[in-house]
Amino acid sequence: MIRKLLPLLMLSILVACGAPGDRDNPPRNLDDACSIKSQRPGWFKDLERVERKYQIPKASMLAMMHQESKFVANARTPKTYALGVIPTGRVSSAYGYAQAIDGTWDWYKDDTGNRRAKRNDFSDAVDFMGWYMTETTRRTNIPLNDTYNQYLAYHDGQTGWLRGSYKSKGWLLRVARKVEERAILYHTQLTFCGG
Protein backbone atom coordinates (compact mmCIF):
# COMPACT_ATOMS: atom_id res chain seq x y z
CA MET A 1 0.00 0.00 0.00
CA ILE A 2 2.76 2.45 0.94
CA ARG A 3 4.60 1.62 -2.29
CA LYS A 4 1.51 2.62 -4.27
CA LEU A 5 1.01 5.87 -2.37
CA LEU A 6 4.66 6.95 -2.37
CA PRO A 7 4.72 8.07 -6.05
CA LEU A 8 1.47 10.01 -5.52
CA LEU A 9 2.89 11.67 -2.41
CA MET A 10 6.12 12.61 -4.23
CA LEU A 11 4.15 14.04 -7.15
CA SER A 12 2.03 16.11 -4.75
CA ILE A 13 5.14 17.54 -3.11
CA LEU A 14 6.70 18.39 -6.47
CA VAL A 15 3.55 20.10 -7.69
CA ALA A 16 3.24 22.08 -4.45
CA CYS A 17 6.87 23.20 -4.61
CA GLY A 18 6.83 24.01 -8.31
CA ALA A 19 3.48 25.70 -8.64
CA PRO A 20 3.39 29.46 -8.28
CA GLY A 21 1.75 30.43 -5.02
CA ASP A 22 -0.78 33.16 -4.47
CA ARG A 23 2.03 35.43 -3.30
CA ASP A 24 3.56 35.26 -6.79
CA ASN A 25 0.38 36.54 -8.43
CA PRO A 26 -0.78 40.16 -8.44
CA PRO A 27 -3.30 41.08 -5.74
CA ARG A 28 -6.91 40.47 -6.72
CA ASN A 29 -8.29 44.02 -6.38
CA LEU A 30 -5.79 46.55 -7.71
CA ASP A 31 -8.17 49.45 -7.09
CA ASP A 32 -8.26 48.94 -3.31
CA ALA A 33 -5.07 49.64 -1.34
CA CYS A 34 -6.59 48.12 1.80
CA SER A 35 -7.30 44.89 -0.07
CA ILE A 36 -3.72 44.87 -1.37
CA LYS A 37 -2.49 45.44 2.19
CA SER A 38 -4.54 42.55 3.57
CA GLN A 39 -3.36 40.21 0.81
CA ARG A 40 0.30 41.28 0.92
CA PRO A 41 1.18 42.42 4.46
CA GLY A 42 4.88 41.82 3.72
CA TRP A 43 4.71 44.33 0.90
CA PHE A 44 3.47 46.96 3.34
CA LYS A 45 6.35 46.28 5.71
CA ASP A 46 8.66 46.94 2.74
CA LEU A 47 6.73 50.08 1.78
CA GLU A 48 6.87 51.39 5.36
CA ARG A 49 10.63 50.76 5.49
CA VAL A 50 11.16 52.64 2.22
CA GLU A 51 8.84 55.45 3.31
CA ARG A 52 10.93 55.93 6.48
CA LYS A 53 14.24 55.63 4.60
CA TYR A 54 13.46 57.97 1.69
CA GLN A 55 10.38 59.95 2.84
CA ILE A 56 8.40 58.73 -0.20
CA PRO A 57 4.64 58.28 0.37
CA LYS A 58 3.55 54.63 0.16
CA ALA A 59 0.57 55.61 -1.97
CA SER A 60 2.83 57.24 -4.59
CA MET A 61 5.04 54.17 -4.88
CA LEU A 62 2.00 51.88 -5.10
CA ALA A 63 0.37 54.04 -7.77
CA MET A 64 3.53 54.16 -9.86
CA MET A 65 4.08 50.42 -9.53
CA HIS A 66 0.46 49.82 -10.51
CA GLN A 67 1.01 51.81 -13.69
CA GLU A 68 4.36 50.23 -14.50
CA SER A 69 3.66 46.53 -13.91
CA LYS A 70 0.20 46.02 -12.38
CA PHE A 71 2.19 44.30 -9.59
CA VAL A 72 3.45 41.52 -11.88
CA ALA A 73 6.87 40.42 -10.62
CA ASN A 74 8.29 39.45 -14.01
CA ALA A 75 6.57 42.08 -16.17
CA ARG A 76 8.37 42.97 -19.41
CA THR A 77 7.78 45.41 -22.20
CA PRO A 78 6.14 44.06 -25.38
CA LYS A 79 8.18 42.28 -28.03
CA THR A 80 8.93 44.05 -31.30
CA TYR A 81 8.74 42.45 -34.74
CA ALA A 82 10.26 43.23 -38.13
CA LEU A 83 7.81 42.88 -41.00
CA GLY A 84 5.21 42.03 -38.40
CA VAL A 85 6.50 38.47 -37.85
CA ILE A 86 10.26 38.36 -37.17
CA PRO A 87 11.01 38.88 -33.45
CA THR A 88 13.61 41.62 -32.95
CA GLY A 89 13.63 42.02 -29.17
CA ARG A 90 11.65 44.09 -26.72
CA VAL A 91 10.66 47.75 -26.61
CA SER A 92 13.17 48.26 -23.77
CA SER A 93 15.04 46.33 -21.09
CA ALA A 94 12.46 47.34 -18.45
CA TYR A 95 11.68 44.42 -16.18
CA GLY A 96 10.01 43.56 -12.90
CA TYR A 97 7.68 45.29 -10.50
CA ALA A 98 9.25 48.73 -11.00
CA GLN A 99 9.99 48.29 -14.74
CA ALA A 100 13.57 49.46 -14.17
CA ILE A 101 15.79 49.38 -17.25
CA ASP A 102 19.16 47.62 -17.17
CA GLY A 103 21.36 50.71 -16.95
CA THR A 104 19.34 52.42 -14.22
CA TRP A 105 19.12 49.17 -12.22
CA ASP A 106 22.91 48.79 -12.44
CA TRP A 107 23.31 52.40 -11.29
CA TYR A 108 21.04 51.65 -8.30
CA LYS A 109 23.00 48.53 -7.35
CA ASP A 110 26.33 50.36 -7.63
CA ASP A 111 25.14 53.45 -5.75
CA THR A 112 23.45 51.55 -2.90
CA GLY A 113 25.83 48.60 -2.69
CA ASN A 114 22.82 46.31 -3.00
CA ARG A 115 24.56 44.03 -5.52
CA ARG A 116 22.12 41.13 -5.03
CA ALA A 117 19.00 43.19 -5.70
CA LYS A 118 16.50 41.64 -8.10
CA ARG A 119 13.89 43.51 -10.10
CA ASN A 120 11.32 40.75 -9.54
CA ASP A 121 11.66 41.03 -5.74
CA PHE A 122 9.09 43.46 -4.32
CA SER A 123 11.35 44.62 -1.49
CA ASP A 124 14.18 45.46 -3.89
CA ALA A 125 11.79 47.06 -6.39
CA VAL A 126 10.29 49.49 -3.87
CA ASP A 127 13.72 50.30 -2.49
CA PHE A 128 14.78 51.10 -6.06
CA MET A 129 11.73 53.36 -6.50
CA GLY A 130 12.50 55.21 -3.28
CA TRP A 131 16.14 55.63 -4.26
CA TYR A 132 15.26 56.76 -7.79
CA MET A 133 12.65 59.26 -6.66
CA THR A 134 15.13 60.67 -4.13
CA GLU A 135 17.73 61.00 -6.90
CA THR A 136 15.06 62.71 -9.02
CA THR A 137 14.43 65.25 -6.27
CA ARG A 138 18.17 65.84 -5.86
CA ARG A 139 18.66 66.40 -9.62
CA THR A 140 15.41 68.19 -10.54
CA ASN A 141 13.98 69.65 -7.30
CA ILE A 142 10.68 67.81 -7.87
CA PRO A 143 9.19 67.34 -4.38
CA LEU A 144 9.03 63.73 -3.17
CA ASN A 145 5.24 63.99 -2.76
CA ASP A 146 4.64 65.38 -6.28
CA THR A 147 3.51 62.08 -7.80
CA TYR A 148 2.59 63.67 -11.14
CA ASN A 149 6.04 65.07 -11.92
CA GLN A 150 7.86 62.23 -10.19
CA TYR A 151 6.09 59.84 -12.55
CA LEU A 152 6.99 61.93 -15.60
CA ALA A 153 10.65 61.86 -14.53
CA TYR A 154 10.39 58.13 -13.78
CA HIS A 155 9.02 57.41 -17.25
CA ASP A 156 11.16 59.78 -19.33
CA GLY A 157 14.20 59.77 -17.05
CA GLN A 158 15.56 62.67 -15.06
CA THR A 159 17.41 64.13 -18.05
CA GLY A 160 14.27 63.79 -20.18
CA TRP A 161 12.25 65.61 -17.53
CA LEU A 162 14.83 68.39 -17.32
CA ARG A 163 14.71 68.75 -21.11
CA GLY A 164 10.92 68.74 -21.07
CA SER A 165 10.60 65.73 -23.40
CA TYR A 166 7.30 64.79 -21.76
CA LYS A 167 5.64 68.08 -22.81
CA SER A 168 5.03 66.87 -26.35
CA LYS A 169 3.56 63.55 -25.19
CA GLY A 170 -0.09 64.14 -24.47
CA TRP A 171 -0.65 60.45 -23.76
CA LEU A 172 2.09 60.49 -21.09
CA LEU A 173 0.65 63.60 -19.45
CA ARG A 174 -2.72 61.81 -19.22
CA VAL A 175 -1.06 58.70 -17.75
CA ALA A 176 0.81 60.81 -15.18
CA ARG A 177 -2.48 62.43 -14.16
CA LYS A 178 -4.03 58.95 -13.71
CA VAL A 179 -1.06 57.88 -11.57
CA GLU A 180 -1.49 61.00 -9.44
CA GLU A 181 -5.23 60.31 -9.05
CA ARG A 182 -4.54 56.68 -8.08
CA ALA A 183 -2.00 57.85 -5.47
CA ILE A 184 -4.67 60.12 -3.96
CA LEU A 185 -7.16 57.23 -3.99
CA TYR A 186 -4.67 54.84 -2.37
CA HIS A 187 -3.73 57.45 0.25
CA THR A 188 -7.39 58.00 1.15
CA GLN A 189 -8.03 54.26 1.37
CA LEU A 190 -4.93 53.64 3.50
CA THR A 191 -6.04 56.37 5.89
CA PHE A 192 -9.10 54.24 6.72
CA CYS A 193 -7.29 50.92 7.11
CA GLY A 194 -4.26 52.09 9.04
CA GLY A 195 -1.82 52.06 6.17
Side-chain angles (χ1 to χ4, degrees):
M1 177 75 169
I2 292 176
R3 287 186 145 197
K4 290 181 180 178
L5 290 177
L6 190 58
L8 183 60
L9 179 62
M10 294 299 287
L11 180 63
S12 297
I13 291 171
L14 283 173
V15 168
C17 291
D22 187 49
R23 66 178 178 78
D24 296 327
N25 297 320
R28 288 181 294 279
N29 186 352
L30 303 184
D31 295 327
D32 184 349
C34 294
S35 176
I36 295 170
K37 182 181 179 188
S38 71
Q39 291 174 60
R40 303 293 186 277
W43 285 9
F44 274 78
K45 288 179 183 173
D46 294 328
L47 286 162
E48 287 165 2
R49 175 184 49 79
V50 172
E51 186 176 54
R52 282 191 306 273
K53 182 177 178 181
Y54 294 110
Q55 309 305 306
I56 310 289
K58 290 186 290 282
S60 293
M61 290 183 285
L62 277 173
M64 288 172 64
M65 192 174 286
H66 173 276
Q67 178 59 42
E68 291 298 293
S69 69
K70 302 293 188 277
F71 305 106
V72 174
N74 60 352
R76 294 186 182 274
T77 58
K79 290 182 179 178
T80 57
Y81 297 89
L83 304 173
V85 292
I86 303 167
T88 58
R90 295 196 177 268
V91 173
S92 80
S93 63
Y95 174 73
Y97 286 111
Q99 288 294 282
I101 59 174
D102 292 349
T104 309
W105 189 256
D106 290 342
W107 175 29
Y108 161 73
K109 292 195 305 184
D110 289 343
D111 194 53
T112 63
N114 191 2
R115 301 298 308 154
R116 293 184 173 188
K118 296 178 181 169
R119 291 181 275 184
N120 63 352
D121 180 288
F122 187 87
S123 180
D124 291 336
V126 293
D127 193 71
F128 165 81
M129 291 181 94
W131 168 84
Y132 189 84
M133 292 169 76
T134 301
E135 285 295 311
T136 297
T137 297
R138 189 179 63 74
R139 291 190 67 207
T140 66
N141 292 319
I142 298 171
L144 292 171
N145 63 353
D146 181 351
T147 306
Y148 178 78
N149 281 294
Q150 282 282 351
Y151 182 76
L152 291 171
Y154 193 84
H155 186 277
D156 269 18
Q158 296 155 355
T159 303
W161 189 89
L162 287 167
R163 288 182 184 155
S165 61
Y166 60 91
K167 292 177 182 176
S168 63
K169 300 175 183 175
W171 64 269
L172 179 57
L173 298 173
R174 287 188 296 278
V175 169
R177 192 62 64 206
K178 285 172 57 178
V179 171
E180 178 185 46
E181 289 167 1
R182 181 170 295 276
I184 292 167
L185 173 68
Y186 280 167
H187 174 76
T188 303
Q189 292 167 340
L190 291 171
T191 300
F192 288 106
C193 63

